[in-house]
Amino acid sequence: MDAQHITTKERLAIPRQEMPAQLPEVRIHNFNEVHLGYTPELARQEALRCIQCKDPVCIKGCPVNIKIDQFIKLIAEGNFLGAAKKIKEDNVLPAICGRVCPQEDQCEKMCILTKKHESVAIGNLERFAADYERETGNVELPSVKSSTAKKVAVIGSGPAGLSCANDLIQLGHAVTVFEALHELGGVLVYGIPEFRLPKEIVKAEIEGLKQLGVVFVTNAVAGRSITVDELLKEEHFDAVFIGVGAGLPWFMGILGENLLGVYSANEFLTRVNLMKSYQFPENDTPVFNCKGKNVAVFGGGNTAMDAVRTAKRLGAEHAYIVYRRSKAEMPARLEELHHAEKEGIEFMLLMNPVEFIGNDQQWLTGVKCLKMELGEPDDSGRRRPVPIKDSEFILPIDMAVISIGNGSNPLIKQTTPDIEVSKRDTIVVDMNTMATSKENVYAGGDIVTGGATVILAMGAGRTAAAAIHEKLMGVSAK
Amino acid sequence: MFTPYRTIQQVSIITYEIEEPMYQIVSAQFLAENIKKIEIEAPRIAKKRKAGQFVMIRVGETGERIPLTIAGSDPEKGTITIIVQGMGKSTRELNRKEAGDTIHDIVGPLGTPSHIENFGTAVSIGGGVGTAIAYPTAVALKEAGNNVITINGARSKDLVILEKEMAAVSDEAYITTDDGSYGFHGFVTQKLQELIDSGKKIDLVLAIGPIPMMRAVAEVTRPYNIKTVVSLNPIMVDGTGMCGGCRVTVNNETKFACVDGPEFDAHQVDFKNLMDRNKLYLPEEKHSTDAFAHKCHMHKQA
């Protein structure tokens, strides 16, 4: 079938194309990416399912308003490079977002097909176009406007910082990105595992920015190695963008939380992803030896899924998700939930941990839980879990990973008191410009919203870049 | 600008050569067996660091990130000094480095600086390589006008480090050795008890060394209500507050040593929990250390 002569009826008759993936029994023994990507044939077939609505509501579901109908049409026509370019007009990190966006809550949720059929696999197509462009060596560097002689500092090399740096360098500003860790990419490298987002893809995106002239400085902790005021006054940056993420893990505050074998998801994932402890002893950093052990991860978000599937890959006998609500309330991407189920992750739903129990050597041996039932909806609109009386039981576990979210790192607040923060210590900004209460200082991503998504952080970085340009040049970026 | 990461733009063809960030060792010498003083080029850290702060070091590309307290700095020269005792693989690897060698990554200064003011009489106690950490704080206490007493403890005479440096900032300086081969025969706690018993008014005790020593010092000062500060050394990964691996129990509350510390009120620290948590990777540490020792041995034979 070709894209020109296909009726809507014919389009609707095509089933949603599954993306080939490693088999669950194979992938639980490796850290390679789960999905293998669409072939060109599968991508075209899927793209043909799009009925090219006059009013493409999917675009409204996208936080950065990618021209979804247009790029899908280009894929259907076989113009894959054109599709990649079209996406990049609005999204600078499509290979990453195609993999990690919660599409079922955004573009795909709005897709008109969902009324009677399954939505178009917009995320899979976005990923395909970006991968095709990169893998065929066709990534073209965008043109960079002539130098404005303005300098902008970007703090943090995660999604917010990278997208902000990308837009600013193209507008002709000199951009320096400061990263606290020894590797670039922020949560994309320390948080999201290789099997969900290959680090090579993140490296390729960063390499592109380097080629455009963005300068990256690793091992620079904002608030310690360098402060916002020093960047403005001593280093003479004209503006600063803060995209440091939400980097202070919450614990549950229950008894036994400091026993040996209790980790935050950040620590567990950082050891495995950033420090590559799954390759111990070739890499020096060790991590809890999960082989044949029982591991429980507490939480229901993407990070919890990442952690539990990592434990499984490290050889855990039983890998549990312990969550106090039901599956319907889990904030994780649907796809990650499905993958986890297929990989043999055991879901202990409607259970609330109340105490960790250890042996006389202080090693964790179990967790005392209460069974819950769902009551009335709470402030978040989700039904509030209520404990069931006398339902206490002990789940024997050797390792616990706590994945209930992150607070804000206090370093910026402590060292730059004139930036206004909320009660939750997130930075307060004007959402139209991402400007903070401090002159020429902007912020975006999780440090503003609290733990959210890659795409929202990316959108915030771009909004800030446009506002910074306008402020520095006195003209609009568009 | 940070110097380590340079971008060189060539005219006409746009190619960029990104240098790996590397940190040069300016000088390195052993102070005692297995304890080495290493001076590293790190201009920004040298300029900013305050007593009590630390750096995270990754020796090589496959290395772990380890916290080491900054023993001193020369802001003009742009260098910092660390003093390292070869314990596990990473510290032994570091101790084999000489002037001219490089270290892959250093980040800092991290941690909350020591709280320095004129307390009156301050006793700074260093046990073993802990003296390297006690030293900069002793300097800062002296500069703040305190009457500074230092107790520098080691197992035996040849393991005593920074004797002259400590003496130079002290109004009274004592050396103790466990075997009596030098100075006072006994533990630092015995010397401290002696000072207290002599009727001296002590306003602050700072103790840095092995956990059992710090715990023992806390027990000596507790009955007298002498403010006592210890610098804790839990296992860390990032050192910036992101992972929570370094959490310690202080006054029954969980604190992150990397951002809330590393210095805490000794009378409120749960030393048992710290000691237990530091045993988390004993088998893995032993494996790495043995493999490294074997590699060095083979290297020597070849």
Side-chain angles (χ1 to χ4, degrees):
Chain A
M1 270 182 282
D2 77 68
Q4 308 298 328
H5 309 95
I6 176 169
T7 64
T8 301
K9 201 174 166 192
E10 284 168 331
R11 287 180 193 271
L12 291 175
I14 307 170
R16 181 171 159 127
Q17 303 296 301
E18 284 298 314
M19 190 183 280
Q22 283 195 73
L23 290 173
E25 57 271 30
V26 174
R27 68 187 189 231
I28 58 165
H29 299 294
N30 68 52
F31 276 83
N32 300 335
E33 193 176 10
V34 169
H35 274 147
L36 305 169
Y38 276 153
T39 58
E41 294 71 34
L42 284 172
R44 288 192 62 182
Q45 195 69 2
E46 181 61 32
L48 285 172
R49 295 184 64 232
C50 173
I51 57 170
Q52 295 289 315
C53 305
K54 282 221 175 68
D55 175 24
V57 282
C58 51
I59 297 179
K60 292 183 188 132
C62 173
V64 298
N65 306 121
I66 294 174
K67 297 169 200 91
I68 297 169
D69 57 328
Q70 296 182 30
F71 96 74
I72 292 183
K73 185 160 184 264
L74 288 163
I75 293 181
E77 291 165 2
N79 183 356
F80 305 141
L81 294 176
K85 274 212 182 96
K86 185 55 73 184
I87 298 170
K88 283 188 168 174
E89 287 174 12
D90 302 294
N91 179 353
V92 296
L93 304 169
I96 295 171
C97 293
R99 286 171 166 84
V100 302
C101 261
Q103 288 95 1
E104 73 271 14
D105 290 326
Q106 300 178 352
C107 52
E108 294 184 17
K109 185 184 186 178
M110 305 294 280
C111 177
I112 205 89
L113 297 196
T114 52
K115 286 186 182 155
K116 286 190 177 162
H117 308 266
E118 278 187 282
S119 76
V120 174
I122 302 168
N124 289 357
L125 290 172
E126 177 186 29
R127 171 199 157 131
F128 166 78
D131 284 357
Y132 183 88
E133 185 193 44
R134 188 184 67 256
E135 284 163 9
T136 54
N138 278 301
V139 177
E140 273 176 40
L141 285 185
S143 58
V144 172
K145 293 209 173 116
S146 58
S147 170
T148 61
K150 300 284 183 192
K151 284 170 64 181
V152 183
V154 171
I155 305 176
S157 67
L162 291 180
S163 62
C164 187
N166 177 74
D167 283 9
L168 287 169
I169 197 93
Q170 290 186 39
L171 290 164
H173 307 294
V175 183
T176 304
V177 179
F178 295 89
E179 167 56 46
L181 291 169
H182 58 265
E183 222 163 276
L184 300 167
V187 72
L188 304 173
V189 297
Y190 76 73
I192 304 176
E194 180 76 19
F195 59 80
R196 196 148 76 84
L197 175 64
K199 301 304 153 237
E200 210 179 296
I201 290 168
V202 182
K203 276 207 177 108
E205 299 288 358
I206 290 167
E207 202 46 51
L209 291 180
K210 283 181 184 170
Q211 287 182 22
L212 288 179
V214 176
V215 176
F216 287 93
V217 179
T218 51
N219 296 325
V221 180
R224 285 278 188 239
S225 317
I226 187 142
T227 64
V228 172
D229 282 316
E230 284 167 349
L231 288 171
L232 291 168
K233 286 176 197 145
E234 292 173 28
E235 311 254 350
H236 308 293
F237 282 98
D238 298 290
V240 175
F241 174 76
I242 302 169
V244 295
L248 206 71
W250 281 327
F251 286 88
M252 297 187 288
I254 62 175
L255 272 177
E257 216 156 17
N258 292 345
L259 287 167
L260 283 75
V262 182
Y263 286 75
S264 74
N266 278 7
E267 181 182 5
F268 180 51
L269 291 171
T270 299
R271 283 180 178 273
V272 178
N273 299 331
L274 178 74
M275 306 309 294
K276 302 190 172 62
S277 61
Y278 64 95
Q279 292 168 334
F280 181 86
E282 290 76 29
N283 282 278
D284 289 343
T285 307
V287 71
F288 185 89
N289 187 350
C290 295
K291 236 170 231 137
K293 302 284 175 57
N294 297 332
V295 178
V297 176
F298 299 83
N302 287 318
T303 310
M305 296 306 139
D306 287 345
V308 78
R309 295 168 69 199
T310 295
K312 189 79 190 174
R313 281 161 174 74
L314 290 171
E317 169 85 27
H318 291 282
Y320 304 106
I321 281 283
V322 179
Y323 187 55
R324 62 197 190 105
R325 304 181 194 243
S326 75
K327 221 176 246 178
E329 284 85 23
M330 281 193 175
R333 289 177 85 217
L334 207 58
E335 188 172 66
E336 309 311 326
L337 270 176
H338 290 161
H339 281 159
E341 281 166 351
K342 283 192 186 141
E343 288 168 13
I345 304 303
E346 295 159 64
F347 287 81
M348 312 284 278
L349 301 169
L350 291 163
M351 309 246 180
N352 199 28
V354 289
E355 182 184 348
F356 288 113
I357 297 156
N359 63 18
D360 54 356
Q361 304 288 307
Q362 299 304 301
W363 282 92
L364 177 73
T365 57
V367 57
K368 196 185 282 176
C369 293
L370 273 177
K371 290 187 183 157
M372 313 291 275
E373 58 190 356
L374 290 178
E376 294 299 306
D378 63 11
D379 296 345
S380 72
R382 299 181 296 180
R383 292 178 66 192
R384 186 194 303 273
V386 188
I388 300 172
K389 230 180 149 195
D390 300 324
S391 63
E392 222 170 74
F393 73 103
I394 290 172
L395 178 70
I397 53 169
D398 307 289
M399 184 202 199
V401 180
I402 296 162
S403 181
I404 56 165
N406 284 285
S408 305
N409 194 302
L411 287 178
I412 299 254
K413 175 186 151 186
Q414 284 168 8
T415 53
T416 322
D418 49 340
I419 293 180
E420 191 190 337
V421 295
S422 72
K423 270 185 212 152
R424 296 186 304 147
D425 276 351
T426 53
I427 295 180
V428 176
V429 297
D430 170 349
M431 291 307 276
N432 295 315
T433 60
M434 310 312 282
T436 70
S437 59
K438 190 175 168 74
E439 177 93 32
N440 293 330
V441 178
Y442 297 73
D446 284 2
I447 188 63
V448 168
T449 54
T453 59
V454 169
I455 188 78
L456 279 173
M458 216 202 73
R462 301 203 73 193
T463 304
I468 290 170
H469 181 77
E470 209 168 316
K471 177 81 194 290
L472 297 184
M473 307 307 290
V475 290
S476 162
K478 282 168 190 162
Chain B
M1 279 296 70
F2 274 70
T3 42
Y5 234 127
R6 284 185 203 102
T7 308
I8 301 159
Q9 186 178 355
Q10 294 177 346
V11 197
S12 71
I13 330 156
I14 304 176
T15 55
Y16 291 87
E17 192 182 315
I18 309 290
E19 285 180 17
E20 276 289 295
M22 284 282 198
Y23 301 81
Q24 195 90 23
I25 294 177
V26 179
S27 70
Q29 69 263 3
F30 279 103
L31 298 180
E33 196 193 336
N34 210 17
I35 299 177
K36 201 167 195 173
K37 180 178 167 183
I38 304 172
E39 191 187 0
I40 310 160
E41 216 177 80
R44 188 179 292 277
I45 304 175
K47 196 179 100 189
K48 297 213 72 158
R49 76 100 200 176
K50 293 199 171 87
Q53 289 188 298
F54 65 95
V55 287
M56 296 296 300
I57 286 192
R58 200 165 72 112
V59 184
E61 214 175 339
T62 56
E64 55 182 343
R65 294 168 64 100
I66 53 166
L68 289 165
T69 302
I70 306 166
S73 69
D74 185 336
E76 307 232 310
K77 210 170 150 194
T79 60
I80 60 162
T81 301
I82 50 169
I83 294 176
V84 189
Q85 182 168 30
M87 300 283 280
K89 182 192 170 184
S90 299
T91 45
R92 285 181 197 209
E93 214 175 351
L94 198 50
N95 272 3
R96 289 169 62 91
K97 298 272 181 188
E98 302 292 348
D101 289 345
T102 55
I103 288 171
H104 211 285
D105 295 286
I106 299 183
V107 58
L110 300 170
T112 305
S114 306
H115 174 73
I116 302 290
E117 60 174 273
N118 190 347
F119 295 97
T121 294
V123 180
S124 169
I125 305 174
V129 77
T131 302
I133 309 168
Y135 172 65
T137 310
V139 174
L141 286 167
K142 185 71 213 166
E143 282 169 358
N146 286 280
N147 176 43
V148 174
I149 302 173
T150 57
I151 306 175
N152 189 351
R155 282 206 311 278
S156 65
K157 186 184 176 183
D158 47 341
L159 291 172
V160 174
I161 59 166
L162 302 179
E163 184 184 356
K164 272 187 213 145
E165 288 88 343
M166 277 301 223
V169 297
S170 308
D171 294 282
E172 287 173 49
Y174 301 97
I175 305 277
T176 70
T177 52
D178 299 0
D179 64 0
S181 53
Y182 193 52
F184 175 88
H185 184 177
F187 297 127
V188 291
T189 41
Q190 291 169 293
K191 187 72 218 174
L192 177 64
Q193 187 68 57
E194 223 182 71
L195 289 173
I196 295 169
D197 292 345
S198 73
K200 207 175 275 288
K201 185 180 171 292
I202 297 170
D203 303 292
L204 174 84
V205 169
L206 171 86
I208 298 158
I211 300 170
M213 183 209 95
M214 294 193 285
R215 178 157 68 172
V217 168
E219 289 321 309
V220 169
T221 57
R222 194 188 302 272
Y224 307 97
N225 244 332
I226 301 171
K227 183 178 164 64
T228 303
V229 174
V230 286
S231 177
L232 305 184
N233 60 338
I235 298 168
M236 293 186 185
V237 185
D238 63 292
T240 65
M242 191 193 75
C243 85
C246 67
R247 58 199 193 277
V248 289
T249 311
V250 181
N251 197 17
N252 293 317
E253 266 179 58
T254 293
K255 296 278 179 191
F256 290 5
C258 67
V259 287
D260 300 320
E263 293 184 359
F264 293 99
D265 180 345
H267 296 148
Q268 300 193 330
V269 170
D270 181 343
F271 287 104
K272 164 103 175 45
N273 184 238
L274 175 63
M275 219 173 320
D276 288 332
R277 286 187 60 82
N278 276 0
K279 289 178 190 153
L280 199 49
Y281 301 108
L282 280 185
E284 287 85 3
E285 284 166 12
K286 187 176 179 324
H287 179 282
S288 292
T289 307
D290 289 352
F292 184 70
H294 181 70
K295 200 176 108 191
C296 296
H297 184 66
M298 298 303 279
H299 188 71
K300 261 183 211 163
Q301 283 187 333

